[in-house]
Amino acid sequence: MLRQLQQEGIKAEDIQTIIITHGHLDHIGGLSRRGNPVFSNAEHLITAEEWNYWSERPETMESRTLAPLKDHITFVQSGCHICPGISVNHTPGHTEGHLTVSIESQGTRLLAASDPVTLSHPASYIAAELDLEKGMETRQSFLQQAYTQSVQIFACHYPFPGLGGVKKSEGQWSWVTLDN
């Protein structure tokens, strides 16, 4: 990611805010290096539940990655408005403090889903979830909200660019890739 930022003329020191959706290594892996924050001037936003969960597990790579950020951490709660048009919502299950980011501009809303979107088996459990029941409830609620409100979704683990929406037909969810 640093290489892409540099190609756009953005230095790590220029980044002011980072929203940590959850503490899994595939989402936080580049936030610290050699015991120091990579984005040294950034405020790192995370839920207290997520921070505490990983802080209590110092043997994990997740904890070792997050620990150097401690002086740069600000705890946020569901419904917190980060700035005009950007807010976070608590979507627990995958992890206890998992966040979904809502971005709204010019009447269009995008939900950055991080990890709760799985359409292949939305009514079943995902092994990586810390709370299987909550994960399934959150996933069903998230999909229903996205469908009912016709919002766009950014799904981190979907094929590039991971932008689309959901539709429901005969009780089955399906992914609809966003047209350019």
Side-chain angles (χ1 to χ4, degrees), residues 3-23:
R3 198 172 300 128
Q4 286 90 352
L5 289 172
Q6 289 170 348
Q7 288 173 353
E8 297 298 323
I10 302 169
K11 297 181 227 149
E13 309 82 61
D14 297 337
I15 304 298
Q16 297 175 7
T17 306
I18 293 176
I19 301 170
I20 301 173
T21 59
H22 66 294

Side-chain angles (χ1 to χ4, degrees), residues 37-99:
V38 170
F39 303 97
S40 56
N41 294 328
E43 174 183 34
H44 294 69
L45 309 177
I46 190 171
T47 63
E49 297 94 338
E50 193 72 11
W51 178 261
N52 293 337
Y53 178 85
W54 294 110
S55 295
E56 293 166 2
R57 290 158 179 80
E59 73 283 358
T60 65
M61 277 299 294
E62 288 85 353
S63 181
R64 290 194 293 272
T65 300
L66 289 170
L69 308 177
K70 72 176 184 211
D71 293 335
H72 301 266
I73 291 292
T74 298
F75 294 133
V76 294
Q77 295 180 338
S78 192
C80 177
H81 292 273
I82 309 306
C83 64
I86 300 178
S87 61
V88 295
N89 291 299
H90 187 216
T91 48
H94 187 63
T95 64
E96 185 56 35
H98 190 282
L99 291 171

Side-chain angles (χ1 to χ4, degrees), residues 109-142:
R109 188 164 160 223
L110 172 76
L111 292 176
S114 191
D115 282 344
V117 177
T118 300
L119 297 175
S120 55
H121 303 288
S124 62
Y125 304 115
I126 299 172
E129 291 178 325
L130 295 179
D131 185 322
L132 299 175
E133 291 292 329
K134 261 190 208 170
M136 189 169 60
E137 287 174 26
T138 294
R139 192 165 41 264
Q140 290 291 345
S141 174
F142 178 88

